[in-house]
Amino acid sequence: MNPAKCCSGAKTCEPAYLDNNATTQVDSKVVETMLPFLTEHYGNPSSIHKFGDPVGKAIEHARTQVQRLMGAEHPSEVIFTSCATEATSTAILSAVEAFPERKEIITSVVEHPATLQLCEQLQRKGYTIHWIAVDNKGRIDMDAYAAALSDRVAIVSLMWANNETGTIFPIRGMAEMARKHGILFHTDAVQVAGKVPIQVAGSGIDLLSLSGHKFHAPKGIGALYLRRGAKFRPLLRGGHQERGRRAGTENASGIVALGMAAELAIDAMQRDSARIAMMRDRLEHGLLARVPNSFVTGDPSQRVPNTSNIAFEYVEGESILLMLNQLNVAASSGSACTSGSLEPSHVMRAMDIPYTAAHGAIRFSLSRYTTDDMIDRVLAELPGIVERLRMISPYWDPEQNAPREEVFEPAFG
Amino acid sequence: MWDYSEKVKDHFFSPRNAKAVEQANATGDVGSISCGDALRLTLKVNPDNDTIEQAGFQTFGCGSAIASSSALTEMVIGKTLDQALALTNQDIADYLDGLPPEKMHCSVMGMEALHAAIADYRGEVFEDDHEEGDLICKCFAIDDVMIKKVVSQNKLSTLEDVIHYTKAGGACAACHEKIEWVLEECVADYDSNAVAEPAESPASIVERIHRIEAVLEEVRPQLQADGGDVKLSDVEDDMVFLSLTGACSGCGLSGATLAMIEQKLSEALGEPITVYPVGAAPASTPLQVVGGAS
């Protein structure tokens, strides 16, 4: 295994960034829009003088842009936050405080840590958490969900699409079911915002979180949708900003950027979704055809258009990523070793993916900046990387170039 | 991304001896697939002089697991079995110019594969004492299994105790909440076990002094190793007067030493004890109370 040369066999040496579910490139139009709010428009929007005025107006304009992306009825239903983690925490803790007599929460086992760890913390404090399971394709157990709904539940919090596999939950139907029981419904829409149309108005969704940097806004800005009339308690107190629902001086440049990114996303969804899905499918089919013992995780029939998660059996994800990185290709993995947690991704485990495959699951996530050339690079390089690593894997028989027939069972586990 | 040394990267991108040794006469299979690491080490040992002539590895794992395996094979070739057995996982990590704390288990896996292979060659049964839990303290690489063990053995109850006994949480402090969760679990455990224990009758003064001396005997070797010693001076109710002598007197860590002894005495006597230091031979300043829990 020689040190990998950059771009062997590929046309260019441009980086192939295929980790857009982690974060995205900021659109240059977004940067252009936000810059004046870091320079000449430095006023506090709460001030009465002419320095504050344009900032306040720009924030309200951004609010209508985000409202349109969410498909909300009123601009005032949009609350700007520092990130989606804050939005999600605000939603769940608000419900807990607004309905103190309700001591149960419904969520799923495949949520983002922002939800998972907050619910674990509430569990420690005595709340009953209904952890709804998923099947081996990452589809939620609807029977268990229906059975958990009751007037003891303060809030349902479920992700719209999974960050690792892109699998979409039937959020609209689930929100309707919660509404019939008078339960607040929150969805973490971080992985759908800017990828598929949302339209919260008229749905049973009461609260929705999104994050700017997942759709070409900068990091440090998110938003919470709060349906008008839904009972609410703020997380941050001490200011009238955001109608007293989120105290703290506004991140004006970030908010303006989020607004512009939302506006661009509405157009881009129309224009680019089909192209992104085609590239994703070409990558996926190409890899499955070129690499034996590999399979797609999650539910390909219910999936956001930009995500593909492929498990390569008998190799470990971090090793694949390190070798891809040498070739200027960026992707990510649910492998234990990339996180330091020593356990493979909770999403892979929830879907009952065998350990020998879960550790080798690689997520490719595309964006409107992804090119066919990038896909070609991965198709050219990855099969060789997997093969090199399999050749030194104790689970692989290098002579047969196939999984070892006798079972490899190491001591201790 | 991990901060891997150049040496780790070199052994990952250009692994040495990444193959099964032909006609190997020793094989060690170790690893934990749930943790994402598994390693087969094959050796060819010369039976005339017990020297490792060839070594090869096959590893399923991350960059540092492959690099640790590769380093291990380089390190053991040419060594006798006894020389090889003297290697520690720290030696593997040092050979690679260090590993991130979360990745130290990769070097442990290498060492265990070696032990397993040598046991295989000698026809012995490989006993692994490998335990691995959730990593709690990343600064010192201490997991929950280790913390639980120390907490329950010493009946610790506070975060400070855990830092003092295990070092976990002693640096960046990011894991303090997790340590407290582990403590909660342990305390809940021994609370439920404690119910059955009968209340002991108060010990006589002779019995108390025996127990105190026993504790001092237990800690003495540690102090002597650092050139110091400890002597019982007096006992009065819950107050125990000790004199630290030799290198201990005037040592900046004597406060910590006394706190450790105080903890152990409280456990041995089953009541809260306060230790007071007594100045060594030349009568100097009046006794000072060392911040003890009374």
Side-chain angles (χ1 to χ4, degrees):
Chain A
M1 205 174 357
N2 293 317
K5 279 179 298 206
C6 182
C7 310
S8 53
K11 284 174 249 167
T12 67
C13 219
E14 289 296 301
Y17 183 78
L18 297 171
D19 199 10
N20 287 282
N21 285 9
T23 196
T24 57
Q25 180 182 343
V26 183
D27 191 303
S28 56
K29 288 197 198 77
V30 170
V31 178
E32 217 173 280
T33 312
M34 77 186 285
L35 276 180
F37 295 87
L38 294 168
T39 53
E40 72 241 51
H41 298 313
Y42 57 82
N44 189 321
S46 303
S47 303
I48 192 153
H49 46 62
K50 66 177 183 184
F51 290 88
D53 191 49
V55 182
K57 287 201 168 77
I59 288 176
E60 290 322 303
H61 178 58
R63 204 181 301 282
T64 60
Q65 291 169 312
V66 176
Q67 173 206 350
R68 281 201 295 278
L69 179 69
M70 290 174 166
E73 203 172 341
H74 311 284
S76 63
E77 292 175 322
V78 177
I79 302 171
F80 293 114
T81 63
S82 65
C83 56
T85 297
E86 185 198 322
T88 294
S89 291
T90 303
I92 295 174
L93 293 172
S94 163
V96 160
E97 209 168 309
F99 299 97
E101 70 291 351
R102 295 178 174 225
K103 297 290 186 198
E104 298 179 14
I105 293 171
I106 299 175
T107 189
S108 84
V109 291
V110 294
E111 297 296 308
H112 186 272
T115 305
L116 279 185
Q117 293 188 13
L118 179 60
C119 287
E120 282 167 9
Q121 172 68 3
L122 289 166
Q123 195 167 21
R124 302 183 74 83
K125 289 187 169 175
Y127 277 80
T128 299
I129 313 292
H130 299 278
W131 301 102
I132 309 297
V134 297
D135 68 8
N136 59 11
K137 287 195 153 184
R139 294 173 298 203
I140 197 152
D141 181 344
M142 290 298 282
D143 294 339
Y145 174 65
L149 294 166
S150 78
D151 60 6
R152 298 182 302 276
V153 175
I155 189 167
V156 174
S157 183
L158 292 166
M159 64 195 341
W160 202 321
N162 186 272
N163 50 319
E164 290 189 29
T165 61
T167 302
I168 293 174
F169 281 163
I171 286 299
R172 287 178 199 287
M174 297 176 95
E176 275 309 320
M177 289 164 72
R179 176 151 73 179
K180 288 193 183 115
H181 284 81
I183 307 169
L184 279 184
F185 189 93
H186 166 253
T187 182
D188 162 4
V190 167
Q191 296 295 348
V192 296
K195 293 173 188 163
V196 290
I198 292 177
Q199 194 60 33
V200 283
S203 76
I205 297 167
D206 299 295
L207 299 128
L208 173 145
S209 304
L210 59 76
S211 172
H213 74 101
K214 307 289 193 194
F215 58 96
H216 310 290
K219 292 149 194 73
I221 187 68
L224 175 66
Y225 163 79
L226 171 65
R227 183 180 54 77
R228 182 179 281 186
K231 211 169 168 187
F232 182 77
R233 295 287 180 274
L235 179 66
L236 300 185
R237 295 168 190 272
H240 60 90
Q241 294 87 356
E242 303 296 296
R243 301 190 173 200
R245 298 170 302 184
R246 200 277 187 181
T249 300
E250 297 87 342
N251 171 7
S253 62
I255 290 170
V256 169
L258 180 66
M260 178 49 86
E263 188 174 312
L264 295 171
I266 295 170
D267 287 346
M269 272 190 281
Q270 298 276 336
R271 202 181 52 237
D272 298 319
S273 286
R275 184 176 64 89
I276 291 171
M278 270 175 66
M279 286 192 290
R280 188 269 315 268
D281 292 343
R282 189 163 73 83
L283 173 70
E284 190 168 280
H285 298 152
L287 287 174
L288 294 178
R290 286 168 175 79
V291 183
N293 294 86
S294 60
F295 60 91
V296 176
T297 70
D299 181 5
S301 71
Q302 289 297 321
R303 195 164 57 162
V304 287
N306 80 318
T307 308
S308 171
N309 189 306
I310 303 179
F312 300 101
E313 290 184 279
Y314 312 113
V315 285
E316 199 275 341
E318 187 198 288
S319 292
I320 298 175
L321 295 182
L322 288 171
M323 292 199 170
L324 283 174
N325 188 47
Q326 281 288 93
L327 302 167
N328 228 350
V329 175
S332 79
S333 160
S335 128
C337 275
T338 51
S339 62
S341 72
L342 303 184
E343 293 206 327
S345 129
H346 65 286
V347 179
M348 295 298 137
R349 284 200 300 163
M351 294 190 297
D352 219 4
I353 306 285
Y355 282 123
T356 41
H359 286 289
I362 302 289
R363 177 186 71 187
F364 302 95
S365 46
L366 287 60
S367 79
R368 59 179 184 256
Y369 293 108
T370 306
T371 62
D372 275 314
D373 188 47
M374 295 177 188
I375 303 298
D376 289 336
R377 295 250 310 276
V378 179
L379 289 175
E381 302 290 357
L382 190 61
I385 290 174
V386 173
E387 187 173 330
R388 285 212 293 283
L389 289 168
R390 278 181 179 164
M391 285 301 163
I392 63 168
S393 166
Y395 293 94
W396 199 258
D397 183 341
E399 278 165 28
Q400 304 296 320
N401 197 18
R404 203 178 273 284
E405 277 188 21
E406 41 156 331
V407 186
F408 178 71
E409 278 180 297
F412 80 77
Chain B
M1 191 52 88
W2 301 107
D3 191 11
Y4 283 140
S5 71
E6 289 306 316
K7 207 81 175 275
V8 172
K9 288 183 202 160
D10 178 39
H11 276 266
F12 171 68
F13 288 114
S14 317
R16 331 292 200 256
N17 312 307
K19 59 173 194 307
V21 170
E22 277 178 37
Q23 295 168 334
N25 52 5
T27 301
D29 291 347
V30 296
S32 163
I33 192 61
S34 66
C35 295
D37 291 310
L39 159 60
R40 165 170 286 179
L41 180 71
T42 45
L43 304 175
K44 193 170 177 195
V45 181
N46 183 336
D48 298 333
N49 55 10
D50 269 2
T51 301
I52 299 171
E53 291 182 336
Q54 285 183 57
F57 78 88
Q58 289 155 288
T59 292
F60 169 95
C62 59
S64 56
I66 290 173
S68 295
S69 310
S70 167
L72 171 72
T73 57
E74 289 283 276
M75 291 167 80
V76 299
I77 292 173
K79 285 204 166 59
T80 65
L81 296 182
D82 288 336
Q83 286 168 337
L85 278 174
L87 291 172
T88 65
N89 72 300
Q90 191 61 48
D91 293 331
I92 299 175
D94 290 346
Y95 183 91
L96 291 167
D97 294 337
L99 288 169
E102 292 88 340
K103 300 288 192 168
M104 282 301 286
H105 67 275
C106 296
S107 62
V108 174
M109 185 174 76
M111 188 193 66
E112 291 182 343
L114 176 66
H115 290 182
I118 293 176
D120 176 47
Y121 173 76
R122 290 179 170 167
E124 296 163 357
V125 178
F126 171 63
E127 297 276 351
D128 80 82
D129 54 357
H130 189 99
E131 256 187 308
E132 198 167 76
D134 292 339
L135 190 66
I136 303 279
C137 169
K138 293 190 176 179
C139 299
F140 297 121
I142 297 169
D143 64 14
D144 66 334
V145 176
M146 166 78 166
I147 294 175
K148 278 180 191 158
K149 205 158 106 186
V150 175
V151 165
S152 59
Q153 275 172 2
N154 298 287
K155 295 275 188 289
L156 306 184
S157 57
T158 68
L159 172 64
E160 286 70 27
D161 288 343
V162 174
I163 298 173
H164 190 68
Y165 274 73
T166 66
K167 278 204 310 196
C172 79
C175 60
H176 283 187
E177 189 181 19
K178 283 188 182 165
I179 294 178
E180 293 191 336
W181 291 348
V182 174
L183 267 170
E184 278 173 30
E185 274 180 47
C186 295
V187 170
D189 273 357
Y190 49 73
D191 276 358
S192 57
N193 294 338
V195 189
E197 281 180 33
E200 286 180 44
S201 55
S204 70
I205 181 72
V206 178
E207 175 59 25
R208 283 166 55 110
I209 288 173
H210 275 311
R211 288 191 199 172
I212 293 167
E213 286 289 5
V215 168
L216 297 184
E217 277 310 315
E218 186 190 323
V219 300
R220 187 161 281 129
Q222 269 175 273
L223 303 185
Q224 286 173 341
D226 290 333
D229 206 345
V230 64
K231 196 162 153 277
L232 177 61
S233 188
D234 199 2
V235 182
E236 200 179 319
D237 300 328
D238 62 346
M239 297 179 288
V240 173
F241 298 87
L242 298 178
S243 63
L244 288 175
T245 57
C248 288
S249 68
C251 167
L253 286 171
S254 60
T257 305
L258 288 173
M260 179 266 289
I261 296 175
E262 185 175 270
Q263 178 76 34
K264 286 180 183 286
L265 287 175
S266 303
E267 287 156 15
L269 296 172
E271 58 180 304
I273 293 292
T274 309
V275 166
Y276 293 93
V278 182
S284 51
T285 46
L287 304 183
Q288 293 293 315
V289 175
V290 167
S294 54

